[in-house]
Amino acid sequence: MRAFDFDQTIYDGYSYRDFCFFVTARRPWLAFYLPVIIVVALLKACRLISMKRTVEIILWPYLRFKKIDEYIVKFWDKKEKRIQQWYKDIHSPDDLIISATPSFFLEEICRRIGVTNLIATEIDRKTGKVVDPYCYREGKWQRFIARYGEDAKLTEYYTDTMRDEFMLGKAERGFFVKNGRVTQVH
């Protein structure tokens, strides 16, 4: 099975960050939440809070919209073109996207590009809490095994960061993606 990280790998950029800017431009009152986001980012940079908690805090105001699903569709109408060409060239319907980005956000783009296998961070949309295991670093592998079983083989893994070494190490072949260029690392 081939698996792909999403942000900075298949998508040129950080999709959920782009989505937050997209929504804030349409709901300017969200700019008042910016100081909270800055403080949380600084706390994360200083390793005083976990990535999981960071996501929960940053997502909180965006989950409050009754029509968030409509915003997601409109966002992908505008940003679908940022799916990188190299991926379009090798796409296969049985590819797996495995990402720390929330699943409710990626489901729409996966449908559009013809990917039916998605493992991503699950968020309780009522509470804003991340459902464990968080689909980040080792959590990606835990979620992969939970879905496909201990005997599942990961033939290829594509990522933009060597911090994904856990998934890269589990794959028979690992690939690093930077600026749309794919390089095999093992």
Side-chain angles (χ1 to χ4, degrees):
M1 174 178 292
R2 289 191 321 178
F4 299 82
D5 188 17
F6 187 75
D7 291 319
Q8 292 287 91
T9 304
I10 290 175
Y11 178 82
D12 183 18
Y14 291 100
S15 60
Y16 206 78
R17 180 195 62 198
D18 293 348
F19 178 70
C20 290
F21 287 128
F22 177 85
V23 173
T24 302
R26 284 146 185 82
R27 295 287 183 243
W29 64 266
L30 283 167
F32 291 113
Y33 196 65
L34 188 58
V36 173
I37 292 172
I38 291 169
V39 169
V40 168
L42 290 171
L43 291 172
K44 173 59 184 115
C46 294
R47 299 177 186 209
L48 297 174
I49 62 172
S50 69
M51 181 61 120
K52 176 182 165 183
R53 187 69 183 127
T54 301
V55 168
E56 291 171 344
I57 294 168
I58 291 173
L59 281 179
W60 183 82
Y62 298 94
L63 293 174
R64 300 297 163 253
F65 290 112
K66 292 183 194 299
K67 297 183 179 185
I68 191 169
D69 295 320
E70 290 176 27
Y71 279 101
I72 291 169
V73 169
K74 289 176 183 177
F75 173 81
W76 287 119
D77 286 346
K78 186 171 182 170
K79 299 293 185 175
E80 181 177 357
K81 63 185 176 215
R82 293 186 67 183
I83 299 299
Q84 298 207 51
Q85 188 60 47
W86 72 266
Y87 179 71
K88 292 176 185 176
D89 293 342
I90 68 167
H91 168 263
S92 175
D94 61 345
D95 287 342
L96 166 66
I97 290 177
I98 187 163
S99 177
T101 301
S103 61
F104 72 86
F105 178 68
L106 292 178
E107 289 165 353
E108 174 68 17
I109 192 62
C110 285
R111 183 189 60 74
R112 290 178 185 215
I113 64 175
V115 172
T116 57
N117 300 308
L118 172 65
I119 297 175
T121 296
E122 296 297 329
I123 304 283
D124 181 321
R125 290 177 70 175
K126 291 190 189 294
T127 66
K129 298 292 183 195
V130 171
V131 177
D132 285 326
Y134 177 37
C135 197
Y136 182 69
R137 296 190 178 170
E138 294 87 1
K140 286 184 177 183
W141 183 250
Q142 293 170 353
R143 305 271 315 256
F144 178 82
I145 292 301
R147 165 124 8 124
Y148 297 107
E150 293 283 338
D151 296 332
K153 300 285 185 216
L154 188 58
T155 56
E156 297 177 3
Y157 184 69
Y158 295 75
T159 185
D160 66 304
T161 178
M162 289 305 181
R163 287 179 289 183
D164 244 349
E165 74 269 358
F166 201 83
M167 289 297 289
L168 283 168
K170 298 292 186 179
E172 293 172 12
R173 289 180 303 283
F175 297 87
F176 184 68
V177 180
K178 184 162 178 101
N179 299 323
R181 291 196 176 112
V182 180
T183 305
Q184 187 168 350
V185 293
H186 73 82

